[in-house]
Amino acid sequence: MTTTAEYERLLREASLRVTRPRVAVLAAVYAHPHADTDSIIGYVRDDLGEVSHQAIYDVLRALTNAGLLRRIQPAHSVARYESRVGDNHHHIVCRSCGAVADVDCAVGGAPCLTASDDHGFRIDEAEVIYWGLCPNCLPTRSS
């Protein structure tokens, strides 16, 4: 997704009005997966000039509610947003720097949706977060 016309099409298909802030937020999240709200505000302001925090929060909420963005919030972290929606992927988070990366389900379509005991729930999503150190934060090994 790289063009304004494509973002406008997504908004229309989701029955949302096309506005400059909505297009700018979509562009920011597509360009910067797993960005936090403050970063998104910075990217949008670089693009549009002064936009209020509340306007960006409102846009993020509307885009998330419409299914155009996904909000994730790993433990002890701020909320982050991504444009990869519609699948049941997971995340890996660096304990040191907080870097986040997508991880596909390990086997099959979505094996994590089969709980050992669903307690009568109809499960439609699972949130698995792997934790560790990213390659940049791993200690170097001296030989």
Side-chain angles (χ1 to χ4, degrees):
M1 200 63 45
T2 57
T3 70
T4 299
E6 290 171 308
Y7 299 131
E8 291 173 355
R9 179 185 54 78
L10 285 173
L11 290 166
R12 285 187 188 97
E13 287 174 356
S15 299
L16 293 175
R17 264 185 329 114
V18 175
T19 65
R20 291 180 67 227
R22 286 178 177 169
V23 170
V25 168
L26 278 175
V29 175
Y30 270 83
H32 306 280
H34 309 119
D36 61 40
T37 306
D38 286 340
S39 297
I40 294 167
I41 289 169
Y43 301 135
V44 170
R45 285 182 174 169
D46 287 346
D47 185 26
L48 298 181
E50 186 59 34
V51 179
S52 73
H53 281 75
Q54 190 59 51
I56 302 302
Y57 283 114
D58 292 346
V59 169
L60 287 168
R61 187 177 316 105
L63 297 177
T64 301
N65 288 343
L68 296 177
L69 297 181
R70 181 178 176 194
R71 181 184 186 273
I72 63 167
Q73 189 167 7
H76 313 294
S77 175
V78 296
R80 297 171 178 272
Y81 294 86
E82 64 181 346
S83 58
R84 185 175 170 185
V85 297
D87 67 354
N88 193 54
H89 71 280
H90 308 300
H91 298 94
I92 187 163
V93 180
C94 179
R95 289 185 188 279
S96 181
C97 71
V100 179
D102 291 332
V103 178
D104 291 324
C105 280
V107 180
C112 54
L113 293 180
T114 305
S116 60
D117 183 354
D118 64 18
H119 299 276
F121 284 66
R122 186 180 72 217
I123 299 171
D124 60 18
E125 182 178 2
E127 187 171 312
V128 175
I129 299 178
Y130 301 94
W131 294 89
L133 293 176
C134 71
N136 292 334
C137 293
L138 285 172
T140 58
R141 298 178 199 203
S142 53
S143 305

